[in-house]
Amino acid sequence: MAVNDPIGRFQQAALALLAVGMTVTVGTALGFQHLAGYIPCKLCLEQRTPYYIGAPIMIAGLVAAFAKAPPLLVRGILLAGALIMTWSLYLGVFHAGVEWGWWLGPSDCGVVAPAPTGGSLLDALDSVIPPSCDQAAGRFIGLSFAGWNAVASFVLAGIGYVAAFRKA
């Protein structure tokens, strides 16, 4: 397969699936934060960055594919999506490893004593302490949010790599 081989419906479908998958994954994390009240730690927030970058790129790739852009561009965008999800996989595995105690997390990602609360709203905001990175907010079917991010990232990266190098 050459990078200039034509693209087809498979590549278009992969771009759509990557765009939707990335959006749903980060949307789920935001939902757990804003609707369910889970406060993300520093590593949780860092794991969202690949999705914030990747989803718009996949949407642009989908537009490019339907606009009959050069195959090299579309396949390059698919490869970029796969690489971004590989980065996300690393971040998810690293955070899950910190939660399981396999290695240490960042030194600035721990629970500290809460600030004294005053009567103002600003004082109340200052008293919110993010959770420690080494304590999972919860486990669902044995995996934490970081573990599920690693699974989602692995699947999305695989889709991107296959679509980037598969014939139309």
Side-chain angles (χ1 to χ4, degrees):
M1 193 275 335
V3 290
N4 284 330
D5 281 355
I7 61 161
R9 293 204 184 272
F10 185 81
Q11 284 75 22
Q12 292 171 339
L15 283 162
L17 187 59
L18 287 169
V20 169
M22 290 178 188
T23 303
V24 167
T25 302
V26 76
T28 301
L30 289 167
F32 274 106
Q33 177 183 349
H34 295 291
L35 301 175
Y38 286 87
I39 300 173
C41 71
K42 175 185 175 180
L43 291 178
C44 295
L45 293 173
E46 286 178 7
Q47 288 177 79
R48 296 176 186 181
T49 303
Y51 294 97
Y52 294 147
I53 295 169
I57 291 173
M58 295 304 100
I59 293 168
L62 189 58
V63 170
F66 280 107
K68 306 288 188 218
L72 177 62
L73 175 65
V74 176
R75 290 181 185 278
I77 290 171
L78 280 163
L79 182 58
L83 291 170
I84 289 168
M85 286 296 95
T86 302
W87 170 36
S88 181
L89 173 62
Y90 162 76
L91 293 173
V93 169
F94 177 76
H95 190 187
V98 169
E99 291 172 342
W100 285 104
W102 296 339
W103 44 75
L104 293 176
S107 60
D108 62 345
C109 194
V111 174
V112 295
T117 58
S120 76
L121 178 60
L122 291 177
D123 289 336
L125 288 174
D126 286 339
S127 69
V128 175
I129 306 298
S132 176
C133 294
D134 63 357
Q135 297 172 5
R139 296 200 185 274
F140 309 96
I141 315 174
L143 292 177
S144 65
F145 290 124
W148 284 111
N149 175 49
V151 170
S153 299
F154 179 79
V155 170
L156 293 170
I159 291 168
Y161 286 121
V162 169
F165 296 109
R166 182 177 171 196
K167 290 188 178 197

